[in-house]
Amino acid sequence: MAVTVAELAAQLGARVEGDAESLLQGVATLSQAGPGQLSFLANKKYQHQLATTTATAVLVSESEAADCPVTAMVVDDPYLSYAKAVAYLYPEQREPGGIHPRAFVDESASVDPSAWIAANVVVEAGAQIGCGVQIAAGCVVGRNVTIAADSRLHANVTLYADVQLGQRCLVHSGTVIGSDGFGFANEKGKWIKIQQLGRVIVGDDVEIGANCAIDSGAIDDTVIEEGVKMDNLIQIAHNVRVGAHTIMAGHSGIAGSSVVGKYCAIAGAAGIGGHLEICDNVTITAMSMVIKSISKPGVYSSGIPAEENREWNKRVARISRLDKLNDRVRQLEKKL
Amino acid sequence: MAVTVAELAAQLGARVEGDAESLLQGVATLSQAGPGQLSFLANKKYQHQLATTTATAVLVSESEAADCPVTAMVVDDPYLSYAKAVAYLYPEQREPGGIHPRAFVDESASVDPSAWIAANVVVEAGAQIGCGVQIAAGCVVGRNVTIAADSRLHANVTLYADVQLGQRCLVHSGTVIGSDGFGFANEKGKWIKIQQLGRVIVGDDVEIGANCAIDSGAIDDTVIEEGVKMDNLIQIAHNVRVGAHTIMAGHSGIAGSSVVGKYCAIAGAAGIGGHLEICDNVTITAMSMVIKSISKPGVYSSGIPAEENREWNKRVARISRLDKLNDRVRQLEKKL
Amino acid sequence: MAVTVAELAAQLGARVEGDAESLLQGVATLSQAGPGQLSFLANKKYQHQLATTTATAVLVSESEAADCPVTAMVVDDPYLSYAKAVAYLYPEQREPGGIHPRAFVDESASVDPSAWIAANVVVEAGAQIGCGVQIAAGCVVGRNVTIAADSRLHANVTLYADVQLGQRCLVHSGTVIGSDGFGFANEKGKWIKIQQLGRVIVGDDVEIGANCAIDSGAIDDTVIEEGVKMDNLIQIAHNVRVGAHTIMAGHSGIAGSSVVGKYCAIAGAAGIGGHLEICDNVTITAMSMVIKSISKPGVYSSGIPAEENREWNKRVARISRLDKLNDRVRQLEKKL
């Protein structure tokens, strides 16, 4: 697909400085881009690459426009415009509607004719698959699952019974939604399973990465609100609620019954304990452990940056001797 | 399914205060429950909800019975009784025995007639599937795997060759049991694979969450003893032994050849190093790192609670200057 | 398979002290080995077991040869020789070439006649499967994927479109390669997806454990160089490059665009932040968080060993009062 700079600029609301008639066929980084390619400058770190780029056009902000050696497409937010440009230049390839002969769809399930069900998919009884839904090979869609319009499951996704998925969701391979919440009562040392009765409700425009696990609620539902974006290998326990437009990075997790607000950002491998409330607009930095509710927007941390092992071992030893150091200071205070 | 309070009370050994003939059809939380629903009070946090509940009956302990505005079912441990009540009110739905025409079962495998093999399951040569076993869609059961009576695999589980699963086990979707242990010898910088010859042996009544990975042993076997309960995304390395009735939360992991005792609790994202021995009745709190054996029952920790990032950054800086602080105190001591 | 000590010794370049004609049929640990079994002594921890072993032969280093009560096979590196002995005694069982009737291979895909495609595998359009490749049940091989000679996918692996896998790779079950990188631009609080255009390129002799997730690049490719070995549940974000012969343990992860050098070792649950460069020959110890580039080979850490919870809570409290302690020392210094 080739478009003129002018056509793309119209889509993006960009001002063009240079040749509006040149053709764009794809995108590349500033350092790699050649003729016919669009690039963008969104990170100051790469500013030095602008002078020598051989891209046909570059998405830049107003302040960089003068320094652009090729056609500049001036926008407010080059990164956002890049996202939209890519969506325009690389329209998603959707399969035509239909059920692959190697798929198995229970006769009581309802599949919109415009939905696509790939080979080796299993759709169980009572499931409802909306228009434009795309279900790739090897997925298992449990009983009475609902998948709303234009959502897409990549290969080998598992949805347990009763999961509800909103519109335009994207779920990556290996992810499991609706597995039993982790609930047991103890009887003389043995663990007695507590049947998990709730569902998982996923809002519109949610993206869930690969190999995540989202448990069903114990009694009420686990809820992922609209616009949430999750990276890979994320754990969501039973009865968690993740607020709209919150973003979670890889290996992060939320323990049971915690409620995370809207517009939060949970960085990689951060963990949020159970039965907590995290208000809107909270950022948790990488590998932090949250064990108290947070009622004030802001940035919270407990991750420790690595340093040379020899130095680090000294620090750990010092920390373990803090009691003694404190005692020594107290002794000094007494003497004075 | 509807039962009278009296019938359920007989099952649970509960004393009824109120209307023993009222009908129960399901459960709900204290705040959500309405007519026909059973609730329970197990956590002091929710005690204030008892006074206004509109549940038909509530499982309470002796000390709460007087405050219960509706029919009270008095028991020693309301949470445990809730577990049993749910199991009674919501009997697990088991498929009738049979092999789905879209499943593939090797002719040398043995499948009990009461076992259910769903669509797109593959059962490889020599596997033995016991009575009442339920294998959901997309599972792959490797060569010579044994699955004992009444165990259940949710969709898309993978069992490598020679895995042995006990009775009444429950394995959630995406979990892999029997993948190669991570063993390599180094030859001039290159890693030479050490063929992993052991198996994974899983005892009776084990539950394993979604997207876990349990490796086979290098020479001897990896062993998960009876009654162990594992949450999602857990890593068990080769030759680990997890003792009976130990419970592990999401994202936790145990490195190679470590032995964890019985009745332990490993909280979320905690890690246990390799070649360690952890005795019975040990609790590891969230995000802790265990790198020494533990021979004394108790609670062990190294996770640090998150706080506001600005404060946290100061702490990290202070920690990195602990050497200097120590020196200053020593100087002061000398001067005095 | 039975071989004489002499035959195996010739394979390994071992010097035999004892009966070179005795037969070996398998391996076992020093304490478990009996007649017909080979063992090895590679870890001083097990040295005391040598005196009483009933193995038929033991791989030992020169310094242990005199203490070996049975036939000694003297080698430079017993662990490496063990790896090679196992490979010789337990030759990998490969399926004969062919496509299982229950597999679905798109007619535009190319599958070498010597490759094996198991039941319920899906191979999509344009994929190229090289000679000797083994693809186990339930795998999904996306469009235009290339799998080079003798690579092996265990059951239920997912390769997204355009992934390239080198020769002799081994990928364990549940692993996902090529899922979308986690890239979003923000528009008034909502996250706008950035279409991920890059691929994942995996070099020769790479092993990837179970339930890992390796994302495709945003524009350029994500690259796993030759000889890399990854354990289970590992997260590799978009545009990461992992250098040749680097080894990564379970639950570790690398954030977007970071470049890790060759011959590195990333221990369990360690995390490497985004946009970093880690030079060759770096070791990151368990549960460490790397947030700065590393340009000097060595060992780096920030993991804290667990201790008794009561003690640990005191330390955390002390750390949070470090500011005050510092102030007190300053006061003392002023007074003096």
Side-chain angles (χ1 to χ4, degrees):
Chain A
M1 178 171 182
V3 303
T4 61
V5 167
E7 177 183 342
L8 184 61
Q11 285 293 321
L12 304 176
R15 195 184 82 231
V16 177
E17 296 193 358
D19 180 2
E21 293 315 307
S22 49
L23 282 176
L24 295 172
Q25 289 180 296
V27 301
T29 56
L30 276 178
S31 62
Q32 300 287 323
Q37 289 184 306
L38 172 73
S39 193
F40 68 104
L41 175 56
N43 186 334
K44 294 266 169 194
K45 195 176 157 186
Y46 300 109
Q47 191 160 10
H48 66 281
Q49 296 178 353
L50 184 60
T52 55
T53 192
T54 54
T56 285
V58 182
L59 290 160
V60 292
S61 58
E62 194 66 60
S63 61
E64 321 289 353
D67 299 330
C68 185
V70 296
T71 297
M73 299 179 71
V74 184
V75 291
D76 287 343
D77 181 342
Y79 196 52
L80 176 59
S81 293
Y82 168 72
K84 294 178 174 178
V86 173
Y88 191 74
L89 290 168
Y90 301 81
E92 204 186 336
Q93 285 174 18
R94 298 221 154 213
E95 303 287 336
I99 298 174
H100 195 284
R102 296 285 189 108
F104 177 76
V105 178
D106 187 277
E107 58 187 11
S108 70
S110 139
V111 178
D112 189 276
S114 66
W116 173 65
I117 312 288
N120 285 349
V121 168
V122 173
V123 178
E124 297 185 348
Q128 294 188 293
I129 312 296
C131 65
V133 168
Q134 308 260 301
I135 303 184
C139 289
V140 178
V141 176
R143 289 176 183 225
N144 302 318
V145 164
T146 302
I147 305 181
D150 297 323
S151 280
R152 185 171 181 182
L153 307 185
H154 278 280
N156 285 328
V157 164
T158 305
L159 305 185
Y160 277 56
D162 301 317
V163 165
Q164 292 193 13
L165 212 59
Q167 297 182 57
R168 297 173 302 277
C169 288
L170 179 56
V171 183
H172 285 281
S173 294
T175 279
V176 174
I177 305 181
S179 38
D180 286 355
F182 196 59
F184 301 90
N186 200 289
E187 185 173 35
K188 298 174 191 166
K190 291 189 181 176
W191 296 103
I192 308 298
K193 182 175 180 70
I194 295 172
Q195 212 72 18
Q196 303 290 302
L197 308 171
R199 300 166 300 171
V200 177
I201 310 295
V202 178
D204 295 338
D205 299 302
V206 169
E207 180 165 343
I208 302 174
N211 282 337
C212 291
I214 303 180
D215 281 352
S216 59
I219 299 180
D220 298 334
D221 300 324
T222 301
V223 179
I224 312 295
E225 294 182 2
E226 56 164 339
V228 166
K229 308 295 179 186
M230 290 189 199
D231 200 354
N232 304 327
L233 292 159
I234 286 175
Q235 149 77 347
I236 303 291
H238 51 184
N239 299 102
V240 163
R241 174 178 284 264
V242 182
H245 311 297
T246 281
I247 199 159
M248 298 180 66
H251 274 144
S252 59
I254 306 178
S257 299
S258 282
V259 176
V260 173
K262 302 180 198 301
Y263 307 110
C264 291
I266 318 291
I272 295 179
H275 297 274
L276 303 181
E277 291 195 27
I278 311 298
C279 68
D280 296 350
N281 294 300
V282 165
T283 293
I284 310 294
T285 61
M287 298 181 85
S288 297
M289 177 179 83
V290 178
I291 57 171
K292 282 187 188 166
S293 290
I294 296 177
S295 56
K296 191 178 140 194
V299 181
Y300 295 80
S301 309
S302 65
I304 300 182
E307 53 188 316
E308 281 194 74
N309 177 262
R310 195 178 300 182
E311 291 306 306
W312 175 248
N313 286 345
K314 278 192 215 166
R315 305 243 188 285
V316 170
R318 286 272 178 248
I319 290 171
S320 71
R321 288 195 296 263
L322 268 177
D323 268 14
K324 285 180 190 161
L325 185 64
N326 198 62
D327 288 347
R328 286 160 62 193
V329 172
R330 195 180 305 153
Q331 287 295 330
L332 287 167
E333 287 168 335
K334 275 187 195 166
K335 283 192 188 170
L336 275 173
Chain B
M1 175 169 183
V3 303
T4 61
V5 167
E7 176 182 343
L8 185 60
Q11 286 292 321
L12 304 176
R15 195 185 81 232
V16 177
E17 296 192 359
D19 181 2
E21 293 316 306
S22 50
L23 282 176
L24 295 171
Q25 289 181 295
V27 301
T29 57
L30 276 177
S31 62
Q32 300 286 323
Q37 289 184 307
L38 172 73
S39 192
F40 67 104
L41 174 56
N43 187 334
K44 295 265 169 196
K45 195 176 158 185
Y46 300 109
Q47 192 159 11
H48 66 282
Q49 297 179 352
L50 184 60
T52 54
T53 191
T54 54
T56 285
V58 182
L59 290 161
V60 292
S61 58
E62 194 66 60
S63 60
E64 322 288 355
D67 299 331
C68 185
V70 296
T71 297
M73 299 178 71
V74 184
V75 292
D76 288 341
D77 181 341
Y79 196 52
L80 176 58
S81 292
Y82 168 72
K84 292 178 176 178
V86 174
Y88 192 73
L89 290 168
Y90 301 82
E92 203 187 337
Q93 285 173 16
R94 298 221 154 214
E95 304 287 338
I99 298 174
H100 195 285
R102 296 286 188 107
F104 177 76
V105 178
D106 188 277
E107 59 186 11
S108 70
S110 139
V111 178
D112 189 276
S114 66
W116 173 64
I117 312 287
N120 284 350
V121 168
V122 174
V123 178
E124 297 185 347
Q128 294 187 293
I129 312 297
C131 63
V133 167
Q134 307 261 301
I135 303 184
C139 289
V140 178
V141 176
R143 292 180 180 219
N144 302 319
V145 164
T146 302
I147 305 180
D150 297 321
S151 280
R152 185 171 180 181
L153 308 185
H154 278 279
N156 283 329
V157 164
T158 305
L159 305 185
Y160 278 56
D162 301 318
V163 165
Q164 291 193 12
L165 212 58
Q167 296 182 56
R168 298 172 304 276
C169 288
L170 179 56
V171 183
H172 285 280
S173 293
T175 279
V176 175
I177 305 181
S179 40
D180 286 355
F182 196 59
F184 300 90
N186 199 289
E187 185 173 35
K188 298 174 191 166
K190 291 188 182 176
W191 296 104
I192 307 298
K193 182 176 179 66
I194 295 173
Q195 211 74 18
Q196 303 290 301
L197 308 171
R199 300 165 301 171
V200 177
I201 310 295
V202 178
D204 293 340
D205 299 300
V206 169
E207 180 165 344
I208 302 173
N211 281 338
C212 293
I214 303 180
D215 281 351
S216 60
I219 299 179
D220 298 334
D221 300 324
T222 301
V223 179
I224 312 297
E225 294 182 2
E226 54 165 341
V228 166
K229 307 295 179 186
M230 290 189 199
D231 200 354
N232 305 327
L233 292 160
I234 287 175
Q235 148 79 347
I236 303 291
H238 51 184
N239 299 102
V240 163
R241 173 179 285 263
V242 182
H245 311 296
T246 280
I247 199 158
M248 297 181 67
H251 273 143
S252 60
I254 306 178
S257 299
S258 282
V259 176
V260 172
K262 301 181 200 302
Y263 307 109
C264 290
I266 318 291
I272 295 180
H275 297 274
L276 304 180
E277 291 194 27
I278 311 298
C279 67
D280 296 350
N281 295 299
V282 166
T283 293
I284 310 294
T285 61
M287 298 183 83
S288 298
M289 177 179 85
V290 178
I291 56 171
K292 281 187 188 167
S293 290
I294 296 178
S295 56
K296 191 179 139 194
V299 181
Y300 295 81
S301 308
S302 64
I304 299 182
E307 54 189 315
E308 281 193 76
N309 178 260
R310 196 178 299 181
E311 291 306 305
W312 176 248
N313 285 345
K314 279 192 214 164
R315 305 241 189 287
V316 170
R318 286 272 179 249
I319 290 172
S320 72
R321 288 196 295 262
L322 269 177
D323 268 15
K324 284 179 190 160
L325 185 64
N326 198 62
D327 288 348
R328 285 160 63 192
V329 172
R330 195 181 303 152
Q331 288 294 329
L332 287 167
E333 287 168 336
K334 274 187 195 167
K335 282 192 188 169
L336 275 173
Chain C
M1 177 171 180
V3 304
T4 60
V5 167
E7 177 183 342
L8 184 61
Q11 285 293 321
L12 304 176
R15 195 184 81 232
V16 178
E17 296 193 358
D19 180 3
E21 292 315 308
S22 49
L23 282 176
L24 295 172
Q25 289 180 296
V27 301
T29 57
L30 275 178
S31 62
Q32 301 286 323
Q37 289 184 307
L38 172 73
S39 194
F40 67 104
L41 174 57
N43 186 334
K44 294 268 170 192
K45 194 177 158 184
Y46 300 109
Q47 192 159 12
H48 66 282
Q49 296 180 350
L50 184 60
T52 55
T53 192
T54 54
T56 285
V58 182
L59 290 160
V60 292
S61 59
E62 193 66 60
S63 61
E64 321 289 353
D67 299 329
C68 185
V70 297
T71 296
M73 299 178 71
V74 185
V75 293
D76 287 342
D77 181 342
Y79 196 53
L80 177 59
S81 292
Y82 168 72
K84 293 179 175 179
V86 173
Y88 192 74
L89 290 168
Y90 300 82
E92 203 186 336
Q93 285 174 17
R94 299 221 153 215
E95 303 288 336
I99 298 174
H100 194 284
R102 295 284 188 107
F104 177 76
V105 177
D106 188 277
E107 58 188 9
S108 70
S110 140
V111 178
D112 189 278
S114 66
W116 172 64
I117 312 289
N120 284 349
V121 168
V122 174
V123 178
E124 296 185 348
Q128 295 187 294
I129 312 296
C131 63
V133 167
Q134 307 262 302
I135 303 183
C139 289
V140 178
V141 176
R143 290 177 183 224
N144 301 320
V145 164
T146 302
I147 306 181
D150 297 322
S151 279
R152 184 171 180 180
L153 307 186
H154 277 280
N156 284 329
V157 164
T158 306
L159 305 185
Y160 278 55
D162 301 318
V163 165
Q164 292 193 12
L165 212 58
Q167 297 183 56
R168 297 172 304 276
C169 287
L170 179 56
V171 183
H172 285 281
S173 293
T175 279
V176 175
I177 305 181
S179 39
D180 286 355
F182 196 59
F184 301 90
N186 199 289
E187 184 172 36
K188 298 175 191 165
K190 291 189 182 177
W191 295 103
I192 307 298
K193 183 176 179 68
I194 295 172
Q195 210 73 18
Q196 303 290 302
L197 308 171
R199 301 166 299 172
V200 177
I201 309 295
V202 178
D204 294 338
D205 300 300
V206 169
E207 180 165 343
I208 302 173
N211 281 338
C212 293
I214 303 180
D215 281 352
S216 60
I219 299 179
D220 298 334
D221 300 323
T222 301
V223 179
I224 312 295
E225 295 182 1
E226 56 163 343
V228 166
K229 307 295 178 186
M230 290 189 199
D231 200 353
N232 303 327
L233 292 159
I234 287 174
Q235 149 77 348
I236 302 291
H238 51 182
N239 299 103
V240 163
R241 174 178 284 263
V242 182
H245 312 297
T246 281
I247 199 158
M248 296 180 69
H251 274 144
S252 60
I254 307 178
S257 299
S258 282
V259 176
V260 172
K262 302 182 200 299
Y263 307 109
C264 290
I266 317 291
I272 296 179
H275 296 275
L276 304 180
E277 291 195 25
I278 310 299
C279 68
D280 296 350
N281 295 299
V282 165
T283 293
I284 309 294
T285 60
M287 299 182 82
S288 298
M289 178 179 85
V290 178
I291 56 171
K292 282 187 188 166
S293 290
I294 296 177
S295 56
K296 189 178 140 195
V299 181
Y300 295 80
S301 307
S302 65
I304 299 182
E307 53 188 315
E308 279 193 74
N309 178 260
R310 194 177 303 182
E311 292 305 306
W312 175 248
N313 286 345
K314 279 192 215 165
R315 306 240 188 289
V316 170
R318 286 272 178 250
I319 290 172
S320 72
R321 289 196 294 263
L322 268 177
D323 269 15
K324 284 178 190 162
L325 185 65
N326 198 63
D327 288 348
R328 286 160 63 192
V329 172
R330 196 181 302 150
Q331 288 294 331
L332 287 167
E333 287 169 336
K334 274 188 194 163
K335 284 193 186 167
L336 275 173

